[in-house]
Amino acid sequence: ALEQLAEEGVTRVFKPLTGGDWIVGVVGALQLDVLAARIKTEYDLGVRFEQGAFETARWLSGPADEIKRFEDAHRSLTAEDHDGVRVFMARNAWDLDRMVKDWPALKFNATREQTAEETV
């Protein structure tokens, strides 16, 4: 259900590389209410959302070997989106700023464009 709704662009979902529960990215609390209602109505599933430890997500881009090094060094802060693209999960603005400074070969993108092939 979460993957299908993410493909529609309703929300973003992230799967931590260390395993565990999916992380749902939304703009505000009302969006969580709408998401829960749609999952209940369309999939007949009850859901419960809890406050997560992360404030923001940034899609990683840059040389593949550098992304791999980042992933190995910060596995607990790295996830993949519903398309398998690597994402840095920042706990706060300081955390994000520190990573941007420490990893100059990488770009920490606030958004990710989807191509026509990905949205079909």
Side-chain angles (χ1 to χ4, degrees), residues 61-116:
S61 62
D65 62 327
E66 197 69 4
I67 291 174
K68 177 69 173 135
R69 279 186 352 96
F70 180 89
E71 178 183 311
D72 291 344
H74 303 287
R75 194 157 186 83
S76 66
L77 301 175
T78 308
E80 61 182 25
D81 70 6
H82 69 278
D83 291 321
V85 177
R86 292 300 191 252
V87 179
F88 165 61
M89 308 299 292
R91 292 175 285 227
N92 51 48
W94 184 90
D95 202 19
L96 176 59
D97 186 55
R98 180 81 261 149
M99 292 300 175
V100 169
K101 288 177 182 172
D102 289 350
W103 296 86
L106 295 179
K107 288 187 180 179
F108 295 79
N109 304 293
T111 60
R112 178 169 115 18
E113 283 194 40
Q114 291 184 305
T115 62

Side-chain angles (χ1 to χ4, degrees), residues 15-16 18-19 23 27 29-30 47-49 51 64 71-72 77 94-95 102 109-110 114 119:
K15 183 69 175 164
T18 56
I23 299 168
V27 176
L30 179 59
V47 295
R48 178 176 49 95
F49 295 111
Q51 179 68 35
E71 178 183 311
D72 291 344
L77 301 175
W94 184 90
D95 202 19
D102 289 350
N109 304 293
Q114 291 184 305
T119 58

Side-chain angles (χ1 to χ4, degrees), residues 15-60:
K15 183 69 175 164
L17 295 186
T18 56
D21 295 330
W22 287 65
I23 299 168
V24 178
V26 295
V27 176
L30 179 59
Q31 196 174 9
L32 283 177
D33 294 339
V34 171
L35 181 61
R38 281 197 63 189
I39 291 171
K40 178 64 177 160
T41 302
E42 297 173 25
Y43 301 93
D44 196 28
L45 296 171
V47 295
R48 178 176 49 95
F49 295 111
E50 297 175 0
Q51 179 68 35
F54 303 108
E55 184 177 294
T56 192
R58 292 293 188 266
W59 282 266
L60 298 172

